[in-house]
Amino acid sequence: MSSKSQGDENKNLPLVSFMSGGIAGAIEAAATYPFEFAKTRVQLRQEAGVPTPRNPFKVVSQVFRDEGVRALYKGCSSLIVGSVGKDGVRFLSFDVIKNAFADPETGGMTPARNMLAGMTSGVVASIFAVTPTERIKTALIDDARNKKRFKSAPHAVKLIYQETGLLGIYRGFAGNTLKQASATAFRMGTYNILKEYERARDIEQSTTVNFANGAVAGIVTTYSTMPFDTIKTRSQSAKGASTIEAFKSIMADGGVKMFWRGTTMRLGRTVFSGGILFTVYERVAAVLNAFLRT
């Protein structure tokens, strides 16, 4: 078998990339949502007389004690729907871009091209899936702290659209796109750089290896993109804010260190989510590829 045909066999069909990414994203979002909930609460501005603990683990225990386990999943449905679209689009666009950039004989990619492919797919995902669903998720978490105007995700969409139009649904687009472009570049890029390295040394791509690669990619992504994530959260609160307003409010609340508020909880989530996401993606893609190519 030629090296070219071997390279073709390693490529996922477009439908496989989209479906595998969507399924992996939904499972990852549901499994790790309490981490995301606590991280978002910590990043939001404190309401007068209602201080939020700085320790995300205290946020989880406090909400669980005062409001019950269901409260920890406020906004989860929005994130799951968004993750299906986000990761479906992200993996599809990444695989399409990666295949276009790859060496035609070996299917290999340089680290720089891996990162560029990830960045481009992050922008695509932000436009078509991530920004609106992240906006609703963040608004639901923020609203649940006191006002409780939103009864559900659809109700939140309706009210926000009535009050601010489509631009309100896309509030935080700039910060979110910066975050998605950088996060996807680091996450997808790091994962595929590790994968290329392992393939060159004939290291078998087992479930354990996939999970470890995804976890490492999650660590790199968290520390590299945390400021963008904090800006995005402030922009997409229930009240909403422009990217500049969000930046100013973060600086006013605690200076530069505030941009890394919630890192501990996000790190916990991204390590597990990276492992879960890529492991599920690889397994589902293998099954679908085998089925569709028979």
Side-chain angles (χ1 to χ4, degrees), residues 63-75:
V63 172
F64 177 77
R65 183 184 65 249
D66 297 342
E67 304 174 52
V69 69
R70 290 184 63 183
L72 289 173
Y73 282 86
K74 189 73 172 180

Side-chain angles (χ1 to χ4, degrees), residues 113-225:
R113 289 186 176 187
N114 265 311
M115 299 292 281
L116 181 60
M119 184 180 297
T120 306
S121 64
V123 173
V124 173
S126 178
I127 295 170
F128 291 103
V130 182
T131 298
T133 53
E134 280 287 316
R135 164 65 163 137
I136 300 307
K137 179 215 72 177
T138 304
L140 283 167
I141 292 174
D142 189 20
D143 179 73
R145 292 193 297 174
N146 45 30
K147 294 184 178 180
K148 297 180 172 60
R149 290 196 310 141
F150 304 142
K151 299 175 182 178
S152 63
H155 186 240
V157 172
K158 181 181 178 180
L159 281 184
I160 292 172
Y161 182 77
Q162 287 177 343
E163 294 170 357
T164 55
L166 186 61
L167 289 179
I169 302 296
Y170 270 83
R171 175 75 75 178
F173 174 74
N176 202 76
T177 301
L178 284 171
K179 180 208 167 185
Q180 285 302 312
S182 56
T184 308
F186 281 106
R187 174 173 272 194
M188 306 291 276
T190 300
Y191 180 82
N192 280 274
I193 288 168
L194 290 171
K195 196 171 178 180
E196 293 280 342
Y197 177 86
E198 291 156 359
R199 277 181 178 169
R201 286 155 183 78
D202 294 324
I203 298 174
E204 182 183 354
Q205 293 297 295
S206 64
T207 298
T208 301
V209 171
N210 292 152
F211 193 95
N213 289 346
V216 171
I219 293 171
V220 173
T221 302
T222 298
Y223 284 106
S224 302
T225 65

Side-chain angles (χ1 to χ4, degrees), residues 209-253:
V209 171
N210 292 152
F211 193 95
N213 289 346
V216 171
I219 293 171
V220 173
T221 302
T222 298
Y223 284 106
S224 302
T225 65
M226 197 65 203
F228 296 131
D229 188 75
T230 305
I231 291 172
K232 182 270 302 179
T233 297
R234 288 290 181 93
S235 295
Q236 296 182 322
S237 63
K239 293 179 181 178
S242 69
T243 300
I244 299 299
E245 290 170 343
F247 180 88
K248 288 180 178 179
S249 74
I250 293 166
M251 291 296 293
D253 286 350

